Every structure is written in structure tokens, then in C-alpha cells.
Amino acid sequence: MIFCSFRSAVSFPPPSPSRSRGDEMNLKEEKNSLRAAWRRRREALPAEERKGRDIAVCEAVAASASYRYADTVLGYAPIGCEIDVWPLLERAISEGKRVALPRTHGEGVMPFHYVGALGEAEPNGAFGIREPRRDAPLYEGAGTALMLVPGMVFDRDGFRIGYGGGYYDRFLSNFQGLSLCLVYSDFLFDVLPTEKTDIPVDMIITEREELFIYEKKKLFVLPKSFFFGIET
């Protein structure tokens, strides 16, 4: 079941931890089909509606304790129909937070580099994405970091379907901060098909709700005040 008005548009079996290696090809095809179908759905939204919804989701993030208590924000340069977080990153810089953007390298490596202003991101990066300069200071895990993770569709366990490159899954496997997906409420599934290399995020924010998934993962030693804004 999916939380949207397109219930009959796409169907798939729920993911199972017992999927055999022989099912991997079908699983990839299933994810590719979902990726293409929901990309078309997002691209079909009128530009003004998409802009308004992007603003609503970003405002919900800015109002969250997770954003307020973070001193570092790892963002992304939106492409295609990804939620536009550029205004949120500009706000973070204006509030004195450190902002870093990803720069892709060969073999699926994607380090983040600090930028003092979004204009420092080069428009001719890999895949046509704006990226920080190669010599920009490298993010190496310092501070209380909040990472904004892009994607096409998401589920309520924190899994996502992006563009299929695996860059974010590799980075998230060693990331010690809080990872957060921004998503429209009607692009949120109960479950998505997953592979063993998929890494769930810790939190999801839509224009309607916040989902805290880190409790299920049991991976973090950050204080509760980082998530809820209360002292422990």
C-alpha cells in the first residue's frame, strides 16, 4: 500500500530479507520501474505547485529540532525534480551553520566539501550537478551534522530509491551524524523493495509529518537533545 492518490499506478511485492541472490536482477528491474514511474509523476506536477511544496517541506525541516541543533548541514544541489533545498542551505549559511556539498569522484566515492556561499559550487560538475571546488575544505566528520539526502521515492522505514548510482548508500554506511530525507507526503510508501547495500536514513520530513527512524536502527550515540531539543 502507498500513501498517495496513485494507488493503482504502481504495484510491487513488499521487500523480504529472504530474497535469494537469483532474485537480484528482478529486484533491480522492479526498482528501475518504480524510479521511472515516480520520476514521471514528479515531473508532471505543475512548476508552481512543485515550488510551493518544496518550500513547505524545507520550512518543516527548518522548524525541526534536528536542524536547529545541527551546526553543520550536508546538502545537495538539486537536479531534475528533486526537492529544491537551495533556499534552506542559504538560510543555514546565513545562520552561521557550516554547509558542505558533495563532489563525486571515480569508483563511487562522494566526499563533501565546505562552501562559504552556494555560488562557490561549480555548475559543470559530474552528471551536470553543481559541485564545490576540488580544493575546497573537506568535511571529515566534525561537528553535529545533519545530512539532507535526495531521492525519488521513500518508505516509512527510511529506505529510498534515488538515481541508482549508490553514492549516498556508500557515504551513509560510515556517516555518524543524522541523515534526513525530504519528501512529499504522497511520495511516501509503506515499503519499498530493498537490496542488501541499501542504507536507510534516520529521519523523514514531509510537509505534514516527521518520522523518526533512528530508534529502529540503534546505531547512534547522539544525545536526545539533538533530535528533540531537550536536555538528557
Side-chain angles (χ1 to χ4, degrees), residues 175-179 202 214 217-222 227:
F175 180 58
Q176 295 301 308
L178 180 76
S179 54
D202 308 307
Y214 71 94
K217 294 172 64 178
K218 305 294 185 183
L219 294 179
F220 296 92
V221 294
L222 294 172
F227 302 99

Side-chain angles (χ1 to χ4, degrees), residues 6-232:
F6 308 121
R7 189 179 302 275
S8 62
V10 185
S11 62
F12 52 85
S16 169
S18 62
R19 287 185 188 271
S20 67
R21 187 171 298 275
D23 292 329
E24 288 184 1
M25 183 59 68
N26 289 336
L27 186 57
K28 288 183 181 297
E29 291 177 356
E30 187 174 27
K31 290 176 74 174
N32 285 337
S33 177
L34 282 166
R35 182 179 294 114
W38 287 89
R39 183 174 183 174
R40 288 194 297 269
R41 293 290 188 187
R42 287 181 66 157
E43 290 176 342
L45 291 173
E48 283 303 309
E49 177 183 345
R50 195 160 63 231
K51 180 179 179 181
R53 299 181 77 177
D54 287 358
I55 292 173
V57 176
C58 287
E59 287 180 346
V61 173
S64 70
S66 301
Y67 171 84
R68 293 197 307 272
Y69 278 77
D71 55 35
T72 301
V73 178
L74 308 187
Y76 62 87
I79 59 171
C81 55
E82 291 176 343
I83 288 181
D84 184 4
V85 297
W86 225 235
L88 179 61
L89 297 179
E90 289 179 334
R91 172 174 177 164
I93 292 173
S94 71
E95 293 174 346
K97 300 180 188 293
R98 302 194 72 185
V99 169
L101 295 172
R103 183 180 178 92
T104 54
H105 294 252
E107 300 180 355
V109 178
M110 189 188 68
F112 281 73
H113 296 261
Y114 291 110
V115 294
L118 297 184
E120 296 176 9
E122 301 173 344
N124 56 343
F127 310 110
I129 302 173
R130 289 169 287 185
E131 294 184 338
R133 298 189 306 270
R134 186 181 300 274
D135 61 352
L138 184 66
Y139 167 77
E140 298 181 295
T144 305
L146 174 67
M147 181 180 182
L148 309 180
V149 182
M152 196 63 57
V153 290
F154 308 82
D155 73 15
R156 301 181 77 86
D157 287 323
F159 290 100
R160 54 184 278 278
I161 293 179
Y163 284 96
Y167 286 93
Y168 278 89
D169 290 317
R170 296 184 191 95
F171 188 90
L172 285 169
S173 65
N174 294 307
F175 180 58
Q176 295 301 308
L178 180 76
S179 54
L180 182 155
C181 275
L182 298 78
V183 56
Y184 301 157
S185 57
D186 52 344
F187 281 67
L188 184 62
F189 288 70
D190 273 346
V191 290
L192 287 173
T194 58
E195 300 174 81
K196 60 184 179 182
T197 55
D198 292 337
I199 305 294
V201 298
D202 308 307
M203 184 177 176
I204 293 174
I205 289 185
T206 77
E207 68 275 30
R208 298 178 181 176
E209 62 179 325
E210 296 182 6
L211 300 177
F212 297 95
I213 301 158
Y214 71 94
E215 290 182 330
K216 300 179 182 179
K217 294 172 64 178
K218 305 294 185 183
L219 294 179
F220 296 92
V221 294
L222 294 172
K224 288 184 179 179
S225 59
F226 180 58
F227 302 99
F228 299 109
I230 60 175
E231 297 298 328
T232 57

